[in-house]
Amino acid sequence: MNFLAAAGVRRLCAMRAVLPCLWRGKYFSSGNEPAENNTVTPMLRHLIYKIKSTGPITVAEYMKEVLTNPAKGYYMNRDMLGEEGDFITSPEISQMFGELLGIWFISEWIAAGKNAAFQLVELGPGKGTLLGDILRVFSQLGSLLKNCDISLHLVEVSQKLSEIQALTLTEEKVPLERNAESPVYMKGVTKSGIPVSWYRDLQDVPKEYSFYLAHEFFDVLPVHKFQKTPHGWREVLVDIDPQVSDKLRFVLAPCATPAEAFIQNDETRDHVEVCPEAGVVIQELSQRISLTGGAALIADYGHDGTKTDTFRGFCGHRLHDVLTAPGTADLTADVDFSYLRRMSQGKVASLGPVEQQTFLRNMGIDVRLKILLDKTDDPSLRQQLLQGYNMLMNPMKMGERFNFLALVPHQRLHGRNHQTNARQSKPSLSPVAGFGELAWQ
Ligand code: SAH
């Protein structure tokens, strides 16, 4: 069967974002751009109070407060994705992105022996667009998956975004769970009858055979920033500017701070960003995959332990000073893929990072584009498909800057399968799709 032809072929999705919008992975900022907006936000007042009470805070604490403070955090109560928002992501640009990822999961599921059930777990699902596109592929390949028991598990801290995800996936408003003690805070059923549950923390997701997806999730996790000085590493902190009331500034810690432990002994850069929370998530994923099987696909913009100062803000598709009007702009830092690989601690095999253009090409985006173009005569839809392709694949746009990393059980690469599965007849020797060409029967 030609999966690329079968997947979602009957459905050409409606127009997505009118391009070009700014995606987050393009620029570097150290917060030095001129302030665009000096509003004293509720978040700024909260931070000033906090710093006055306990002293300067780490950049990681600043990021965490600004983004996910339950009451005032940037992510908690708004829809920031898309044309009307602050930035745009690949799934919001083209349906092809999610479709090819859907095919990746099916390909891995087949290669690992067609387990009788799997959980699809997404970390930070945004508007649910990516999952929606993946599920459409699952539906189109229904004959393949018909005996497989699939469930969806969304790890999301934002109340607002979880409501949007519920509408996207179930076409209904899903009420909050009544039992406040339950780790599942919402529960619904998708349009195609797949159960879906929402959690605030990965640790609460049942430890069953799962495929994990994290797209532009790791870049919003809080980073500590360090500067090399004649006295050794010093952490960058956020303090109140003594010259200007209601303004924040960066300072260096006067002495060593605990997060220095995350810097490698042989580090040669003079400025580094470390993200302990990313390490915790990777350890959890690796532990789970090594115990129960499955795989994780991580896609983000980032580097391999080479970049220095990548902390930046986005508001209304423009770069935004990271210390100005906190709570009104997205904050992000490039993902250090070398750190993610290190944090898997050999429990699983890692593949990549490979550039987005390579991954998507290996997954067959060129064939998919042709199939979709052949399906429509509508000039605006055709233009949207071509523009979306260009945005995702062009090395000057998202093609090079975004990377894919996969975590799979060691057995997967050795051609052995540790999952007990009566339906599996022989072990798979095929390479992992995306990291090599998609090749399946
Ligand atoms: N994956 C989506 C959205 C990326 S934006 C896309 O590519 O379009 C980051 C997402 O992560 C949002 O859904 C945000 O609410 C969520 N998020 C941020 N911090 C989180 C955390 N600590 N735990 C879980 N979700 C988080």
Side-chain angles (χ1 to χ4, degrees):
M1 193 199 306
N2 183 339
F3 289 91
L4 291 167
V9 97
R10 273 161 259 157
R11 173 91 191 274
L12 194 65
C13 289
M15 294 288 278
R16 302 223 169 163
V18 176
L19 305 174
C21 287
L22 180 65
W23 60 98
R24 288 188 298 177
K26 191 175 174 190
Y27 298 107
F28 299 95
S29 152
S30 53
N32 293 330
E33 292 78 18
E36 290 156 7
N37 167 356
N38 277 321
T39 325
V40 180
T41 57
M43 175 57 72
L44 179 59
R45 277 198 293 274
H46 164 72
L47 290 165
I48 286 177
Y49 182 77
K50 190 179 173 78
I51 294 169
K52 276 184 178 159
S53 336
T54 60
I57 57 175
T58 63
V59 171
E61 194 173 353
Y62 177 77
M63 242 178 127
K64 198 174 177 74
E65 278 295 302
V66 171
L67 294 182
T68 57
N69 176 293
K72 309 181 188 79
Y74 169 79
Y75 273 108
M76 306 314 271
N77 303 307
R78 73 180 74 211
D79 172 13
M80 69 296 295
L81 281 147
E83 266 179 283
E84 307 285 305
D86 293 323
F87 59 90
I88 185 120
T89 58
S90 295
E92 303 295 333
I93 288 170
S94 173
Q95 67 180 82
M96 290 185 284
F97 188 81
E99 289 168 351
L100 296 175
L101 266 54
I103 289 174
W104 191 87
F105 287 113
I106 298 179
S107 149
E108 275 311 288
W109 171 74
I110 294 174
K114 298 187 183 172
N115 213 57
F118 70 79
Q119 303 186 141
L120 180 57
V121 183
E122 184 172 4
L123 308 178
K127 294 206 219 204
T129 310
L130 180 50
L131 270 183
D133 289 336
I134 290 174
L135 289 187
R136 200 175 54 258
V137 171
F138 286 6
S139 291
Q140 295 296 335
L141 298 178
S143 57
L144 197 62
L145 292 165
K146 66 177 181 293
N147 294 325
C148 184
D149 192 2
I150 302 173
S151 56
L152 294 185
H153 303 263
L154 279 58
V155 180
E156 176 58 74
V157 284
S158 164
Q159 185 57 42
K160 176 72 183 175
L161 288 178
S162 57
E163 284 164 18
I164 297 175
Q165 291 151 17
L167 274 178
T168 307
L169 298 172
T170 71
E171 282 178 348
E172 282 174 1
K173 212 167 175 300
V174 174
L176 280 177
E177 284 291 291
R178 281 165 187 244
N179 178 4
E181 302 295 303
S182 164
V184 177
Y185 68 89
M186 274 168 35
K187 236 185 210 168
V189 178
T190 69
K191 292 173 264 186
S192 50
I194 297 177
V196 48
S197 310
W198 279 262
Y199 312 77
R200 293 194 176 83
D201 200 312
L202 171 62
Q203 297 204 32
D204 295 326
V205 175
K207 290 185 167 60
E208 306 287 346
Y209 183 86
S210 301
F211 292 105
Y212 299 91
L213 171 60
H215 182 256
E216 292 215 33
F217 168 75
F218 280 93
D219 67 275
V220 300
L221 297 182
V223 293
H224 291 266
K225 287 173 77 68
F226 283 90
Q227 179 68 43
K228 198 177 262 172
T229 74
H231 315 290
W233 289 105
R234 288 292 178 264
E235 184 156 10
V236 178
L237 303 176
V238 177
D239 197 2
I240 301 164
D241 189 332
Q243 313 289 334
V244 191
S245 66
D246 296 330
K247 193 170 183 299
L248 300 173
R249 63 165 187 171
F250 288 119
V251 294
L252 283 186
C255 52
T257 48
E260 189 183 324
F262 292 95
I263 302 176
Q264 295 277 94
N265 288 338
D266 57 357
E267 181 58 63
T268 53
R269 289 168 288 175
D270 59 6
H271 188 100
V272 289
E273 294 166 344
V274 293
C275 184
E277 214 170 306
V280 171
V281 175
I282 290 292
Q283 283 176 3
E284 174 77 20
L285 291 177
S286 306
Q287 178 81 5
R288 283 167 174 252
I289 294 167
S290 66
L291 287 176
T292 61
L297 189 61
I298 295 160
D300 226 308
Y301 44 90
H303 57 93
D304 229 3
T306 49
K307 287 191 177 163
T308 54
D309 178 11
T310 72
F311 183 39
R312 58 197 179 276
F314 287 93
C315 183
H317 299 275
R318 296 179 59 203
L319 276 169
H320 179 94
D321 182 302
V322 288
L323 296 183
T324 296
T328 64
D330 187 29
L331 299 180
T332 159
D334 280 23
V335 173
D336 180 348
F337 284 100
S338 67
Y339 178 69
L340 300 194
R341 280 203 315 268
R342 215 161 50 241
M343 285 300 105
S344 69
Q345 295 175 324
K347 292 198 178 90
V348 287
S350 63
L351 294 113
V354 298
E355 289 169 358
Q356 174 156 304
Q357 56 174 345
T358 306
F359 182 89
L360 295 179
R361 187 154 284 131
N362 282 338
M363 291 304 301
I365 192 169
D366 295 296
V367 179
R368 185 72 188 130
L369 175 69
K370 184 169 182 316
I371 291 167
L372 290 172
L373 285 173
D374 287 349
K375 289 277 150 196
T376 180
D377 292 327
D378 180 340
S380 60
L381 268 180
R382 289 176 66 86
Q383 192 197 14
Q384 191 224 3
L385 284 166
L386 290 166
Q387 279 185 334
Y389 174 92
N390 181 40
M391 189 84 149
L392 297 181
M393 296 293 286
N394 188 331
M396 306 301 287
K397 297 183 176 172
M398 298 165 111
E400 267 183 8
R401 189 120 170 68
F402 283 73
N403 290 277
F404 280 74
L405 175 79
L407 305 177
V408 296
H410 287 294
Q411 292 88 332
R412 166 76 177 91
L413 296 188
H414 295 150
R416 285 184 283 118
N417 192 301
H418 72 310
Q419 291 294 310
T420 327
N421 186 340
R423 273 184 278 168
Q424 173 161 21
S425 53
K426 61 179 183 359
S428 165
L429 292 169
S430 65
V432 174
F435 300 86
E437 276 186 29
L438 176 67
W440 58 359
Q441 304 304 313

